[in-house]
Amino acid sequence: MAEGAALRAVRGCLAAFPREARELGCVESVPYLDRPPSPLEFYREWVSPNKPCIIRNAIGHWPALRKWTLAYLREVVGHKVVSVAVTPNGYADAVFHDRFVMPEERQMPFMDFLDIVEKKVTSPSVFYVQKQCSNLTEEFPELICDVQPDIPWMSEALVHKDHYENLYCVISGEKRFLLHPPSDRPFIPYELYQAATYKVSEDGSFEIVDEKTAEKVPWIPLDPLNPNLERYPEYAQAKPLQCTVKAGEMLYLPSLWFHHVQQSHGCIAVNYWYDMEYDLKYSYYQLLDCLTKAVKVL
C-alpha cells in the first residue's frame, strides 16, 4: 500500500513539473533576434530562463562567410591530413542494432575529403569532418583568423566559464534542429547500450565491433523524426521545437536541452562552447531525472 502511494506521488510530481516549467515561459517556437544582444540582455532574457533563440546579423562581418568556398579550403588546407568520421548511413554516435555505435575515425588528406563532398569521387560511405574537442583550432589553425576567437557578448555574459552553453554559427548550408526543453525529460526514454565502433572490412563493407572493455552507454533509443509511440507512449506528451539555422545565422542552444540535428550537403558550421551555471535550472533537471528513474524502479 505504501509503495503504491509512493508511486502515485512520484507520478504526480512528474506530471506537474513539466507543465509548470512550460507555464513559466518555455517557448512554443524558437524566436529570432535581428541583432546581437548586449551581455546583460542576453543573460537576462535567454541564458537565465534557459530559452533558445536564433540570432541574425551577428556573424555577417566574418571573413569566413565569403572566403570559405570549397576552392578556398582546398587551396589553404587541402594538403593537410585530418580526422574524418566515416559511417555507412550518416549516423555517428547513435543507436543501431542494439549498440551505441561510434564512427570509424580515418586519417586522410583534406583534399580527398573535398573530392567526396564535390562528388568527384563516389563512395557508399558517409564522410564527416567533426570533433567534439575543437578540430578548428587543432587541425585547421590556418582558418582561425576568418572567425572570431570568441563571441564578446557571450563571453562577458558568462565570464570565466567553460563548455556547455552552445552558440552554433552556420557558415554555409543549413542545419535543421529538433529541440526538447529539459522539462520534457520524463517523456524521453533512456536505455543502456553496448559501446561499439564501425570498422571497414577488406571488401569495403562495414562491420560493428564491440568495445568490450567500455562501460555501457546511456542513450535515447527513440527516433524523434519517426517515434515509435507504441513502444514509447510517453513521448506523445513531449513538446519538441523545430528550427532551421541558415548561413550567417547563429543558434543559441541552452544547456540541458535535448537536440537532434540534420544538415544540408556540404554544410560548414563553427561552435562556441561556454560552461553552464549549476543553479536552480540544474537542480530542477537533476530532480526531474531522479524522479523519472524512480518511477521505473517502483
Side-chain angles (χ1 to χ4, degrees):
M1 188 72 176
E3 182 177 298
L7 179 58
R8 287 194 297 274
V10 172
R11 288 191 183 278
C13 289
L14 284 177
F17 280 157
R19 182 180 65 251
E20 291 173 354
R22 291 175 186 136
E23 291 173 353
L24 285 172
C26 209
V27 294
E28 296 295 327
S29 61
V30 179
Y32 285 86
L33 306 184
D34 288 327
R35 58 169 178 80
S38 69
L40 178 60
E41 177 189 0
F42 185 64
Y43 188 84
R44 182 183 60 213
E45 301 295 332
W46 306 102
V47 176
S48 184
N50 199 235
K51 297 192 299 186
C53 62
I54 296 174
I55 306 161
R56 292 170 168 158
N57 302 309
I59 62 173
H61 60 289
W62 287 7
L65 267 76
R66 57 180 174 79
K67 292 173 65 176
W68 283 11
T69 63
L70 297 184
Y72 174 80
L73 295 176
R74 186 182 293 273
E75 177 184 352
V76 176
V77 292
H79 64 285
K80 302 198 70 172
V81 175
V82 300
S83 301
V84 179
V86 187
T87 68
N89 52 20
Y91 287 94
D93 297 342
V95 173
F96 185 70
H97 288 179
D98 293 325
R99 296 287 190 272
F100 175 77
V101 190
M102 294 167 283
E104 179 183 75
E105 293 286 344
R106 191 177 299 179
Q107 298 292 307
M108 62 189 299
F110 191 62
M111 64 178 65
D112 291 352
F113 170 77
L114 292 177
D115 286 342
I116 296 170
V117 172
E118 295 184 278
K119 300 183 179 179
K120 295 179 179 179
V121 174
T122 60
S123 173
S125 306
V126 179
F127 292 73
Y128 188 44
V129 175
Q130 59 90 29
K131 269 192 175 179
Q132 297 296 329
C133 299
S134 190
N135 61 339
L136 179 61
T137 56
E138 293 181 6
E139 295 191 314
F140 301 102
E142 298 89 348
L143 302 176
I144 292 176
C145 60
D146 293 335
V147 300
Q148 287 180 281
D150 71 318
I151 307 299
W153 41 269
M154 181 65 156
S155 298
E156 188 172 340
L158 297 173
V159 64
H160 297 311
K161 297 295 180 181
D162 206 342
H163 321 301
Y164 285 105
E165 305 280 1
N166 188 357
L167 288 175
Y168 207 105
C169 309
V170 176
I171 304 298
S172 65
E174 62 182 37
K175 293 270 187 176
R176 296 177 293 279
F177 289 83
L178 186 149
L179 308 175
H180 279 286
S183 55
D184 275 352
R185 171 62 185 93
F187 316 127
I188 295 176
Y190 270 87
E191 295 180 6
L192 289 174
Y193 291 94
Q194 170 67 51
T197 304
Y198 284 116
K199 298 292 184 185
V200 178
S201 58
E202 292 184 1
D203 64 2
S205 62
F206 280 87
E207 58 180 333
I208 297 174
V209 179
D210 287 348
E211 301 286 344
K212 295 182 179 179
T213 60
E215 295 184 359
K216 288 196 172 183
V217 179
W219 206 256
I220 299 169
L222 175 141
D223 179 358
L225 301 179
N226 185 28
N228 184 342
L229 296 181
E230 289 187 5
R231 185 173 180 181
Y232 306 109
E234 296 87 357
Y235 185 74
Q237 302 178 63
K239 301 292 184 182
L241 306 177
Q242 297 193 47
C243 65
T244 299
V245 186
K246 299 180 180 179
E249 296 180 341
M250 171 192 295
L251 171 68
Y252 167 54
L253 181 57
S255 58
L256 302 175
W257 278 63
F258 302 90
H259 53 282
H260 179 279
V261 188
Q262 296 175 293
Q263 67 179 28
S264 63
H265 181 74
C267 179
I268 302 175
V270 177
N271 284 319
Y272 292 83
W273 299 87
Y274 296 83
D275 196 8
M276 64 179 288
E277 289 198 356
Y278 293 89
D279 54 8
L280 184 61
K281 296 190 298 290
Y282 179 76
S283 300
Y284 167 83
Y285 177 79
Q286 290 298 309
L287 175 60
L288 204 56
D289 188 53
C290 289
L291 289 173
T292 303
K293 293 173 181 175
V295 166
K296 292 186 176 181
V297 172
L298 292 174

